[in-house]
Amino acid sequence: MSRLFTGASTTLGAGEVREMFALALAHLESQVEAINALNVFPVPDGDTGINMALTMRDALAEAQRSEAEAGAGGVFEALARGALLGARGNSGVILSQILKGLNRGVQSEKDVGGPDLARAFQAASEAAYQAVGNPVEGTILTVIRAVAEAVRKEAHGDVAPATVMEDASSTAKAAVARTVLQLDVLREHGVVDAGGQGLSVLLEGMAAYLRGETATPELVPAGASAFIPTVEHGPGGIAYGFCTEFFIEGGEADAEQLRPGFESLGQSVLVVGDPGLVKVHLHTLELEEVLGFARSLGAVTRVKVDNIDHQHQDFSAKQSIVPMGEVGVVAVVVGDGLCQLFRSLGVAAIVPGGQSMNPSAEEMLRAAEGLPCPKVVLLPNNRNVVPAARQAGQLSTGKEIYVLPTEDLQQGVSAMMAFIYELDAKSNLAAMEEARKKVKTGELTLAVRGTTVNGVRVGKGQPIGLSRGSLVVANPDMEITLERLLEHVGVEDDSAITLYYGMDVSAPQAEEVQRFVQVSFPRAEVDLFHGGQPHYHYLFSVE
């Protein structure tokens, strides 16, 4: 029997690793339906949560059979072996590779410390990327890479496992929230990546165990997903054909050698394993051709085939609802893209308004009192709207309205990334306020008149940059203005810059500006999002 784990413990033994992953699985199983309802990438099979949970069940079952004498490293080895054999679906196969990398990183240690876990996450990220022929950002791959980078500094010294896992979990949550900005299909449907969310839930379960928690979490309903996507069907009524999985046993080629052949026959191709036992997952319209090619390489076993079109029909039949707990959020937003983004992050009601179009206290009060929850967080998202928002809070008689004084839309986005609808108002307000204060923001627009402000001379129609409401830079060249504004607010090597382009900017123009910013700040991560806001050509956040 393992000892009772506490956050101060410096190593994990075999029993503790098993118990940690058992609680992680319990967390994942509690959110299976919610994760399923998120799934839109790469096809709408809607079973990401199920596939990840079943993969983890097989991994844990193998770990429970591992010998105690093998120590913690032996448990990680068993988890990796069980996951490979039991991996289901695209997400399950990638999860199996993450576990494979974790096993490689701990290097058969009898007891695993914090630095061992940190190094294991580096190996997990590498293994996950190696498994995918054409990695796509905004997915589970992005999340595991962000985790690896966040804990890299903890690979040396005597840091506790609990510290590493807390950092891994919090980083994963933030990375998942950003996926809606990184992938077109997620942005279009207003959801985060399902696989990334599944990984985040697993890591939270592991962190919870290391905090000393043992309680099984409550089930999270499918309604936790705010939007359900629709997909156009292809020829013959089948959008993507068949989701196909099988093993090739007894062959001589490894996964890297086999992958190109399968990539020519389908989509969402994953080929993992070693010579003698390779697992293949792909989506294809040519099922018999795929299986025939596989048989030419070795013995094909454990074949599983699902008709994705049928899965899609069942998936699309589900109704979507806005998540609602004790507290709901009302946000003042302008711009079609930004409205969609705020809703995807969990905002229950939007009041149109912003610069030059400030909503009244009555409009905000009406939106707040229309929500079916006792408490409301109100995001004014503009410093000029904050006073009216506070007045709305004072006027309410039937609701507890809390005004979070977000001064711009970018602060509002960061606050919403910290919002968790299951938590109470106090917990959410604390997390959202911290996120709001941490983000650095700026705006770029054109001067409506010539003037001199704060020692900066401006000509009419000239690009100008503002930070926290103050004019800080002006230049005839818009890109140079943006570059200097970013330098003013402070961009670090590991910063994440998000550009929101407005209604007067075309997509090609915005993409050119994104490339310019990436060249100017080569070590930063630069994301581009269509905000659709008026007046301001670009809004940005730096985190």
Side-chain angles (χ1 to χ4, degrees):
M1 179 179 296
S2 66
R3 64 184 185 270
L4 179 64
F5 191 85
T6 67
S9 299
T10 58
T11 60
L12 300 173
E16 291 155 338
V17 173
R18 289 193 192 94
E19 291 169 7
M20 179 175 69
F21 277 96
L23 188 60
L25 174 58
H27 274 251
L28 181 61
E29 289 179 331
S30 74
Q31 296 201 33
V32 161
E33 288 305 317
I35 294 169
N36 286 347
L38 288 171
N39 198 71
V40 297
F41 178 81
V43 296
D45 25 10
D47 57 359
T48 297
I50 293 173
N51 285 340
M52 294 184 77
L54 291 176
T55 300
M56 274 305 306
R57 283 184 192 176
D58 284 353
L60 192 60
E62 188 72 19
Q64 300 291 9
R65 291 191 289 267
S66 63
E67 298 293 335
E69 292 76 15
V75 176
F76 274 99
E77 183 179 359
L79 286 164
R81 183 171 58 252
L84 174 63
L85 295 173
R88 294 163 171 84
N90 191 308
S91 54
V93 173
I94 295 177
L95 176 58
S96 75
Q97 295 307 289
I98 291 173
L99 290 172
K100 176 182 178 181
L102 288 175
N103 171 50
R104 183 190 303 157
V106 300
Q107 298 179 338
S108 303
E109 295 287 341
K110 189 170 183 63
D111 294 295
V112 173
D116 297 317
L117 282 178
R119 287 190 290 270
F121 278 118
Q122 318 304 312
S125 177
E126 292 169 5
Y129 272 87
Q130 288 170 1
V132 180
N134 297 296
V136 176
E137 297 305 324
T139 66
I140 186 174
L141 297 175
T142 306
V143 177
I144 188 60
R145 188 189 68 202
V147 168
E149 292 174 350
V151 302
R152 186 186 302 276
K153 62 183 181 296
E154 296 164 342
H156 305 284
D158 57 356
V159 64
T163 301
V164 176
M165 282 310 309
E166 287 293 348
D167 287 348
S169 177
S170 61
T171 299
K173 289 177 183 177
V176 168
R178 293 185 65 81
T179 60
V180 72
L181 304 176
Q182 296 171 318
L183 199 57
D184 288 343
V185 68
L186 300 179
R187 183 182 302 135
E188 177 185 353
H189 297 302
V191 294
V192 297
D193 179 68
Q197 175 67 5
L199 177 60
S200 177
V201 171
L202 280 170
L203 296 178
E204 169 55 26
M206 295 166 70
Y209 172 77
L210 297 185
R211 289 195 296 267
E213 298 177 17
T214 58
T216 300
E218 296 182 2
L219 293 178
V220 178
S225 173
F227 295 93
I228 299 295
T230 58
V231 173
E232 294 297 326
H233 286 229
I238 295 180
Y240 293 95
F242 301 94
C243 176
T244 310
E245 295 177 10
F246 50 84
F247 283 85
I248 301 174
E249 299 185 23
E252 297 180 357
D254 62 18
E256 291 296 323
Q257 293 170 310
L258 297 181
R259 187 177 295 117
F262 286 107
E263 287 178 340
S264 69
L265 297 173
Q267 298 175 319
S268 303
V269 177
L270 287 171
V271 184
V272 299
D274 301 303
L277 183 62
V278 173
K279 181 159 189 173
V280 178
H281 167 281
L282 78 164
H283 298 145
T284 182
L285 293 168
E286 307 297 337
L287 178 61
E288 290 304 320
E289 186 176 351
V290 167
L291 293 177
F293 175 65
R295 293 186 186 103
S296 71
L297 303 170
V300 177
T301 62
R302 285 173 276 185
V303 178
K304 176 178 175 287
V305 178
D306 290 314
N307 186 309
I308 300 175
D309 187 54
H310 292 167
Q311 292 179 334
H312 167 67
Q313 292 170 4
D314 294 339
F315 179 62
S316 298
K318 298 176 182 178
Q319 291 186 336
S320 63
I321 63 173
V322 174
M324 194 70 63
E326 175 192 85
V327 58
V329 181
V330 173
V332 178
V333 187
V334 65
D336 54 351
L338 282 160
C339 285
Q340 184 177 4
L341 173 60
F342 272 90
R343 287 198 179 278
S344 75
L345 293 173
V347 165
I350 285 177
V351 178
Q355 200 68 21
S356 79
M357 191 177 68
N358 297 167
S360 67
E362 181 183 8
E363 289 173 301
M364 290 182 276
L365 178 61
R366 191 184 308 125
E369 293 190 333
L371 297 185
C373 54
K375 300 178 181 181
V376 175
V377 174
L378 179 55
L379 303 180
N381 292 338
N382 186 294
R383 59 180 47 85
N384 293 332
V385 180
V386 171
R390 287 180 170 145
Q391 185 172 333
Q394 295 168 0
L395 292 172
S396 178
T397 57
K399 301 278 186 184
E400 291 184 41
I401 298 180
Y402 304 88
V403 178
L404 191 73
T406 47
E407 297 182 348
D408 51 44
L409 288 158
Q410 306 94 291
Q411 283 192 358
V413 171
S414 291
M416 283 308 303
M417 285 183 173
F419 176 72
I420 301 176
Y421 81 96
E422 298 100 330
L423 298 183
D424 59 24
K426 182 179 179 180
S427 300
N428 268 311
L429 281 167
M432 295 169 79
E433 175 67 4
E434 181 180 0
R436 176 188 81 84
K437 288 183 174 179
K438 189 179 297 183
V439 68
K440 294 178 285 190
T441 65
E443 300 87 31
L444 190 148
T445 186
L446 301 180
V448 296
R449 65 180 64 88
T451 185
T452 300
V453 180
N454 298 329
V456 179
R457 180 173 295 178
V458 179
K460 182 178 180 180
Q462 187 176 19
I464 56 175
L466 301 94
S467 176
R468 300 188 63 82
S470 298
L471 176 67
V472 295
V473 62
N475 190 279
D477 187 289
M478 184 170 292
E479 292 180 342
I480 292 176
T481 303
L482 180 57
E483 179 184 35
R484 292 179 179 175
L485 182 58
L486 285 162
E487 290 172 346
H488 174 84
V489 303
V491 177
E492 308 294 336
D493 283 350
D494 60 349
S495 291
I497 303 171
T498 302
L499 299 173
Y500 303 87
Y501 65 96
M503 62 186 300
D504 296 323
V505 180
S506 69
Q509 289 173 326
E511 289 164 3
E512 184 63 31
V513 168
Q514 180 189 21
R515 285 190 288 270
F516 175 83
V517 172
Q518 188 67 79
V519 170
S520 300
F521 304 95
R523 294 183 180 275
E525 178 182 347
V526 183
D527 291 319
L528 183 66
F529 185 84
H530 171 61
Q533 70 275 2
H535 309 301
Y536 290 90
H537 288 64
Y538 294 95
L539 308 175
F540 69 77
S541 63
V542 178
E543 296 179 273

